[in-house]
C-alpha cells in the first residue's frame, strides 16, 4: 500500500453528552509524577509524548463522577498502558518477536496477579504494575480486581497476536481484526475500573449478561475504531504493519484510502446507532447498577472523541490530520442491519440479548427474535 497524504476526517456521529471531572488537572499532574517515579520512559522524546497524552484529561472524561483515589489509580493505569505500548508493542523492541514477547508478558502479568509475592526489583513496568494492583486492592472488591487482571491478560494475549502478524507480514481479515481490536487497544481493561471509580460493584450476573457483554464489546469497538480512523496517518508514518481498520478494509476489499475511510466511518456509525438502541433496552431493565455502568460506557465513547482533539497521542504535529470540528448530526449511513462480520453479528440478536421479548416488544427495532 502506498503512503498517501493525510485525508481530512469528517465529524463523528456521537449524540452523547460530554463531561469532565473538575479535578482532572491535579490527577494529570500526579500521574506525570508517578510516571517519573517509576521511570516509564527511555528517552526525553518518549517522556514528552507521554506527558502530551494528558491521561488526567482522558480519565476525567471517562469517569467524570469518579472518586479521587480511584480516579488516580485509573489515570496511572492509563499512563502505564501508553508507556508500555511504546516500549513493548507496535514499534517496541519486542513488537515483532512474539516468542520473546509472550515470555516477558507472562512475567509482567504475574505482578498483577500476585503483587505481594515479591519486593520491587527495579524493573519499572513490573514494579509500576505491582503498585497499581496493591492500590487497587485498597479500593476495589476481589471480584473487581479479578476482572481487571483477566482483562489485562486478554490485552497481553492480543499483543502477542499482533506481534505474530508483524513477524510473518500478515494482514488479518476484517473479522479477525474486529475480535482482536476489542482487546488489543486495552480499552476493555480500563472498563473494568468504571464501577470501581464510582464506588459500586456491578454484580457478576449483570456484568456477564449477554446484553451487558454486547454493550461492552460495542463500546470497545467504537472507541478503538475511532482511534484507528483518527490515528491512521500518524501510524502510517511510524509503522507499516497495516494493523489498522482503514488499511484492513483497503486490503480486503481493494479500496482506495478515501473509500476505506468512508467505509470505516459508515461501519462505526452502524455500531454507534445500534449501541444507542441497546442502551435503551438496558435502561428498560430497571437495573440501577447496569444503567450506571452503561452510562460510563457512553462517557468513554464521547470522552475519547473530546480527548482526541486536545491530545498529541494520536496526532503528528509536523504532518497533522485535519479533524473537522463538532459532531455530525446524523449517522453517515441509514443501514441498521447487522454488519457483515460473523464474529459480532450476535450483537443484533434480540433473542439472545433480550430473552422473553417478542418481535413487537423488542426495542432493538425491526430485528426478529428468532
Amino acid at each position: 500500500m502506498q503512503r498517501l497524504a493525510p485525508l481530512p476526517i469528517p465529524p463523528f456521529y456521537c449524540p452523547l453528552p460530554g463531561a469532565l471531572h473538575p479535578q482532572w488537572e491535579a490527577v494529570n499532574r500526579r500521574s506525570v509524577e508517578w510516571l517519573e517515579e517509576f521511570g516509564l520512559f527511555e528517552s526525553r522524546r518518549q517522556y514528552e509524548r507521554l506527558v502530551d497524552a494528558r491521561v488526567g484529561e482522558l480519565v476525567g472524561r471517562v469517569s467524570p463522577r469518579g472518586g479521587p483515589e480511584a480516579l488516580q489509580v485509573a489515570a496511572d493505569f492509563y499512563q502505564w498502558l501508553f508507556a508500555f505500548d511504546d516500549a513493548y508493542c507496535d514499534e517496541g523492541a519486542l513488537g515483532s518477536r512474539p516468542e520473546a514477547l509472550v515470555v516477558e508478558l507472562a512475567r509482567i502479568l504475574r505482578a498483577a496477579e500476585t503483587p505481594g509475592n515479591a519486593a520491587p526489583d527495579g524493573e519499572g513496568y513490573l514494579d509500576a504494575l505491582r503498585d497499581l494492583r496493591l492500590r487497587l486492592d485498597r479500593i476495589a472488591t476481589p471480584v473487581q480486581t479479578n476482572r481487571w487482571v483477566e482483562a489485562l491478560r486478554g490485552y497481553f494475549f492480543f499483543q502477542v497476536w499482533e506481534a505474530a502478524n508483524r513477524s510473518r507480514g500478515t494482514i488479518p481479515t476484517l473479522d479477525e481484526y474486529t475480535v482482536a481490536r476489542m482487546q488489543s487497544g486495552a480499552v476493555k481493561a480500563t472498563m473494568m475500573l468504571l464501577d470501581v471509580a464510582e464506588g459500586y460493584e456491578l454484580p457478576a450476573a449483570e456484568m456477564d449478561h449477554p446484553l451487558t457483554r454486547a454493550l461492552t464489546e460495542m463500546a470497545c469497538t467504537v472507541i478503538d475504531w475511532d482511534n484507528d480512523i483518527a490515528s491512521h496517518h500518524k501510524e502510517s508514518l511510524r509503522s507499516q504493519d497495516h494493523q489498522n481498520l482503514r488499511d484492513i478494509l483497503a486490503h480486503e476489499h481493494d479500496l482506495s484510502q478515501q473509500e476505506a475511510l468512508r467505509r470505516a466511518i459508515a461501519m462505526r456509525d452502524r455500531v454507534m446507532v445500534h449501541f444507542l438502541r441497546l442502551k435503551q433496552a438496558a435502561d428498560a431493565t430497571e437495573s440501577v447498577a447496569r444503567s450506571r455502568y452503561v452510562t460510563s460506557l457512553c462517557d468513554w465513547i464521547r470522552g475519547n472523541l473530546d480527548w482526541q482533539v486536545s491530545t498529541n497521542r494520536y496526532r503528528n504535529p509536523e504532518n497533522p490530520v485535519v479533524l473537522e470540528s463538532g459532531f455530525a448530526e446524523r449517522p453517515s449511513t441509514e443501514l441498521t442491519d447487522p454488519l457483515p462480520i460473523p464474529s459480532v453479528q450476535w450483537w443484533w440478536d434480540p433473542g439472545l440479548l433480550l430473552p422473553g421479548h417478542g418481535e413487537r416488544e423488542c426495542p432493538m427495532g425491526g430485528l426478529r427474535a428468532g
Side-chain angles (χ1 to χ4, degrees), residues 9 12-14 181 219-232 245 264-265 268-269 272 300-302 304-305 308 314 323:
I9 307 297
F12 288 90
Y13 173 68
C14 185
R181 195 68 176 106
C220 285
T221 298
V222 170
I223 292 162
D224 285 320
W225 282 359
D226 286 351
N227 289 345
D228 279 1
I229 290 167
S231 69
H232 175 269
L245 177 63
I265 292 172
R268 68 82 61 193
D269 282 359
M272 181 80 247
W300 224 130
I301 293 171
R302 171 59 189 265
N304 179 60
L305 292 174
Q308 277 186 173
Y314 298 107
L323 288 167

Side-chain angles (χ1 to χ4, degrees), residues 56-105:
E57 178 188 344
L58 177 57
V59 77
R61 294 187 182 282
V62 171
S63 297
R65 297 166 297 280
E69 186 175 2
L71 206 67
Q72 194 64 56
V73 171
D76 293 349
F77 179 50
Y78 288 28
Q79 192 78 270
W80 187 92
L81 287 168
F82 286 151
F84 180 81
D85 183 70
D86 287 347
Y88 285 85
C89 312
D90 297 338
E91 308 133 56
L94 302 181
S96 299
R97 298 170 56 200
E99 299 89 348
L101 181 61
V102 72
V103 172
E104 185 68 6
L105 293 181

Side-chain angles (χ1 to χ4, degrees), residues 1 11 31-32 34 38 41 59 110 128 138 162 166 189 239 256 261 284 292 312 320 322:
M1 274 175 250
S31 194
V32 171
W34 184 83
F38 286 96
F41 52 92
V59 77
R110 194 60 177 163
R138 294 199 297 266
E162 287 190 347
R166 292 189 197 96
S239 173
S256 67
L261 172 61
R292 291 181 72 178
N312 283 329
V322 176

